[in-house]
Amino acid sequence: MSEDLERFRNLALGMNKGSPQAAALGLETLSIDPSGAVLKVPYRDELVGDPETGVIAGGVVTTLLDHACGQAVHAAMETWTSIATLDLRIDYMRPAVAGKDILARAHCYKLTRSVAFVRAVAYDVDPEDPVAAAQAAFMLDSSAGRKAGANLKPPRGV
């Protein structure tokens, strides 16, 4: 496996397992490279928002899209830095098909010194018939160069 592919695989695994919400939803990265990321949330009964229809809750779709966008930003950057979602706009176009996994495909189309811009779609069967479409902006170097966790309070008595 090339060094870049290994880096992308580790990045995706770290983001999916390192985020308690992503881990709880069971987010999986199907592909990730500089052209973008494709993630999946597997259908599970506990993710259903309306038991009458069996459709996955909108908040799950929001998390999936935000996470896919974040992975697309990291994959587009040459060197890793912390990022934070500045803006996430989602247009919900139709209910997802009950019983189907939902996928999200995201592409970072513009990187500036301080902001990344991303487009994404969530779909269940065909990306040309999306469940939702997203437009997002991410702040780059959101930790301002500080080490990860530098903003956390030390435990009492330390």
Side-chain angles (χ1 to χ4, degrees), residues 5-139:
L5 289 177
E6 180 70 16
R7 179 173 63 95
F8 295 139
R9 189 183 70 74
N10 289 335
L11 168 83
L13 185 62
M15 289 181 76
N16 293 342
K17 300 299 180 200
S19 162
Q21 186 174 19
L25 295 175
L27 298 188
E28 301 172 33
T29 302
L30 302 180
S31 67
I32 182 170
D33 61 41
S35 69
V38 177
L39 278 72
K40 174 178 85 169
V41 61
Y43 184 90
R44 297 192 328 256
D45 288 339
E46 62 267 23
L47 301 181
V48 168
D50 181 356
E52 269 189 41
T53 64
V55 173
I56 289 181
V60 174
V61 176
T62 297
T63 299
L64 174 65
L65 284 165
D66 188 35
H67 211 71
C69 288
Q71 286 193 20
V73 169
H74 277 300
M77 296 187 307
E78 289 188 21
T79 56
W80 188 92
T81 188
S82 58
I83 64 172
T85 308
L86 285 174
D87 183 54
L88 178 64
R89 176 200 158 92
I90 300 176
D91 293 317
Y92 288 90
M93 300 173 173
R94 65 175 178 82
V97 175
K100 291 277 189 190
D101 299 341
I102 300 180
L103 291 86
R105 181 177 61 193
H107 169 68
C108 179
Y109 64 92
K110 176 75 173 172
L111 278 172
T112 71
R113 191 172 43 83
S114 58
V115 180
F117 299 92
V118 188
R119 292 184 186 109
V121 293
Y123 59 97
D124 45 20
V125 177
D126 180 1
E128 299 302 318
D129 182 23
V131 170
Q135 179 79 31
F138 284 77
M139 178 173 50

